[in-house]
Amino acid sequence: MTRQIKHLKTQLTIAKEELEQEILDKEGEKQKYLAERAPPLNMSGLSLGQLQDLCRELHAKIDVVDEERYDIEAKVMLNTREIKDLNIKVLDLRGKFKRPNLRRVRVSADAILRSLLGSKHKVSMDLRANLKSVKKEDTEKKRPVEDSDWRKNVEAMSGMEGRKKMFDAAKGSAQ
């Protein structure tokens, strides 16, 4: 275990050194590219007219680069539009795939096991045998009794007679 940890640590240090070297190489390539494309400006000892000429040259170069950038962006936009149009055409040529209506098939657990295991299947899985049975009679008897009591109470308390009964009941409990 410790040998594996030491091995992993050495690999991490090697990878870290390679990553640092790669970063330095990329920075060097960047500096070399910038030196080729944009040489350093030498402005010392230039008169006002020469500085203005230098600025005009730089502005002209900037305009050329902006034009190239605009042209490239226009080509990219055109290509993306073409790609979208071609994707739409491909989808249209494929046509609409119509899925068939699937029929629901009842398959028991035994049939599934038989199809998966073949003749090796000997144990039957009767899932309903392990379920509790619920007595429906008990729930049906309780419900109508509650409904009838509730309805009788509502009918008895409706109207002026019900209010009088409530008033009499309240008077009787206060005494």
Side-chain angles (χ1 to χ4, degrees):
M1 186 77 162
T2 57
R3 190 182 326 156
Q4 290 176 347
I5 293 173
K6 288 180 183 178
H7 180 67
L8 288 174
K9 285 183 180 179
T10 55
Q11 285 183 340
L12 279 174
T13 56
I14 292 170
K16 186 177 179 181
E17 291 171 359
E18 288 178 358
L19 183 64
E20 290 172 356
Q21 184 63 35
E22 188 177 321
I23 290 172
L24 290 174
D25 290 345
K26 283 185 180 180
E27 190 65 32
E29 288 177 16
K30 182 180 176 182
Q31 294 298 329
K32 187 190 293 185
Y33 178 78
L34 286 176
E36 290 175 7
R37 298 290 279 170
L41 294 176
N42 215 358
M43 295 187 300
S44 61
L46 294 178
S47 66
L48 184 63
Q50 292 172 334
L51 285 174
Q52 287 176 345
D53 289 340
L54 181 66
C55 287
R56 286 188 192 105
E57 287 176 24
L58 290 176
H59 278 287
K61 288 181 180 179
I62 290 172
D63 289 340
V64 169
V65 169
D66 278 342
E67 287 175 6
E68 289 176 5
R69 181 183 55 84
Y70 179 78
D71 291 342
I72 291 172
E73 284 179 358
K75 286 180 184 177
V76 168
M77 295 283 283
L78 181 67
N79 288 339
T80 54
R81 262 191 249 124
E82 282 184 32
I83 289 171
K84 286 180 182 177
D85 291 342
L86 290 174
N87 281 335
I88 291 171
K89 285 182 182 178
V90 165
L91 290 174
D92 288 343
L93 288 175
R94 275 190 202 159
K96 294 181 180 174
F97 177 70
K98 201 171 193 178
R99 291 188 179 175
N101 292 333
L102 301 177
R103 286 180 259 147
R104 185 174 296 270
V105 178
R106 288 188 146 198
V107 180
S108 67
D110 292 332
I112 293 173
L113 286 175
R114 255 188 262 121
S115 65
L116 292 174
L117 300 175
S119 62
K120 297 176 186 176
H121 174 64
K122 294 179 182 175
V123 179
S124 67
M125 280 186 62
D126 188 13
L127 298 175
R128 292 181 180 164
N130 297 331
L131 296 175
K132 277 185 172 179
S133 61
V134 178
K135 297 179 182 176
K136 293 183 179 178
E137 297 170 3
D138 294 341
T139 56
E140 290 175 2
K141 287 180 182 177
K142 290 178 184 176
R143 194 173 214 174
V145 172
E146 293 172 7
D147 290 344
S148 63
D149 289 342
W150 177 76
R151 289 184 184 123
K152 287 180 182 174
N153 288 336
V154 169
E155 290 173 5
M157 294 299 178
S158 64
M160 289 301 289
E161 297 171 8
R163 290 186 185 165
K164 184 177 179 188
K165 289 178 186 175
M166 286 176 33
F167 180 74
D168 292 339
K171 198 186 247 187
S173 64
Q175 289 177 353

